[in-house]
Amino acid sequence: MDPARFCSQSRLVIVAGKGGVGKTTVSAALAMMAAKAGLDTLIVEVEGKSGLGAAFGRGELSYDEVQLAERVRARTITPDQALLEYLDDHGMRRLSKRLTNTGVLDVVATAAPGIKDILVLGKVKQLERAGDADLIVLDAPAAGHAVTFLTSARGLLDAVRVGPVRTQAEDVQELLTDAARTQVVLVTLPEETPVNEAAETAARLRDRVGVHLGPIVVNGLYPAVSGIDSAVDLVEQEGVPADDVQPLLDAAAFRRSRHELQQEQLARLAESLDLPQLWLPYLFSPELGPDQIDTLATAFADAVGALELAS
């Protein structure tokens, strides 16, 4: 599949996954791939201090949009800021300041669970409707919170019968369940616990949200190393010093076993989840920066291209 076509299947892509699987990294790589395909892309971050800005060589994100790369912009959205903007837009600036200063939003959030999430998703809905970006990539909360985050609209529809909150919840639910507008891309690692949690999260999102699931991204795959099975012969042929032979053989054995374990987890994932897989490589780099994001964007595009062969 062509990357531009892949990125144009919906206007909003929500990237979700267990903490530590590289969800933010995948969000950045997806946005960069879309930008390279000619799409103006906006990354929306909702938890704060995700390291997304640093991955592009910038500082922490703010509520105001910043340019991270050519055709890639980013911003963060918090419930307080979304509420302030909503009230300002409706001529209630004085009330908005009073609410945030007195902590009323926290009281309301306790009384009506899901209200903070609906404020954030309502702002995302507004951005999607505005059409200022060809693609919005939402770096969602970690998997546990992601489900409650995305089910907040349905919960409020059950609890609130009339008024602006219900209208907002209806609009958000319509956004989330329209495949032409929204899809969720789950991220996992080729390890037992992340694979289990990805399958569970997919089932819960399908059952409780009715959201469209795109291909699942498997991050951190060790690429196969040519000739590793004949490491003993290579060591003997190259005349490696005796002190270095065993460490080299141990390294080869570890790499081979690691690759085999990851392949087993890929097979488990395929058995438990009927979604195409997009594989991204493990980067042997001490830190994540623009060069690494560019490398992953290229790998992402290659993986998307392979979908056409599998279809």
Side-chain angles (χ1 to χ4, degrees), residues 103-267:
V104 170
L105 179 57
D106 291 330
V107 176
V108 174
T110 301
I115 194 70
K116 285 192 172 184
D117 292 332
I118 211 68
L119 284 168
V120 172
L121 286 168
K123 180 59 183 178
V124 173
K125 173 211 66 181
Q126 181 185 352
L127 293 172
E128 185 267 343
R129 281 184 173 176
D132 292 335
D134 299 318
L135 175 67
I136 298 174
V137 177
L138 175 61
D139 184 9
H145 183 197
V147 175
T148 57
F149 177 71
L150 295 174
T151 55
S152 59
R154 178 160 291 179
L156 286 171
L157 286 175
D158 293 336
V160 182
R161 297 303 176 188
V162 295
V165 172
R166 180 174 180 85
T167 300
Q168 186 80 295
E170 288 174 341
D171 289 345
V172 168
Q173 185 66 12
E174 181 181 344
L175 168 68
L176 295 178
T177 55
D178 186 346
R181 298 173 69 190
T182 302
Q183 68 172 318
V184 172
V185 169
L186 294 174
V187 182
T188 188
L189 293 175
E191 299 171 7
E192 184 172 1
T193 299
V195 164
N196 291 343
E197 184 153 346
E200 292 170 4
T201 300
R204 293 170 68 189
L205 288 176
R206 280 172 167 165
D207 294 342
R208 296 173 59 184
V209 184
V211 72
H212 175 73
L213 295 178
I216 185 166
V217 176
V218 185
N219 193 28
L221 277 165
Y222 279 49
V225 178
S226 177
I228 199 168
D229 291 329
S230 57
V232 174
D233 296 335
L234 290 174
V235 165
E236 292 176 352
Q237 293 171 10
E238 296 297 328
V240 176
D243 292 343
D244 295 337
V245 170
Q246 195 56 49
L248 286 172
L249 295 178
D250 290 343
F254 171 80
R255 183 61 178 270
R256 183 171 54 249
S257 64
R258 183 70 177 176
H259 181 73
E260 290 171 352
L261 286 172
Q262 290 190 338
Q263 294 302 308
E264 291 175 6
Q265 295 305 320
L266 291 176

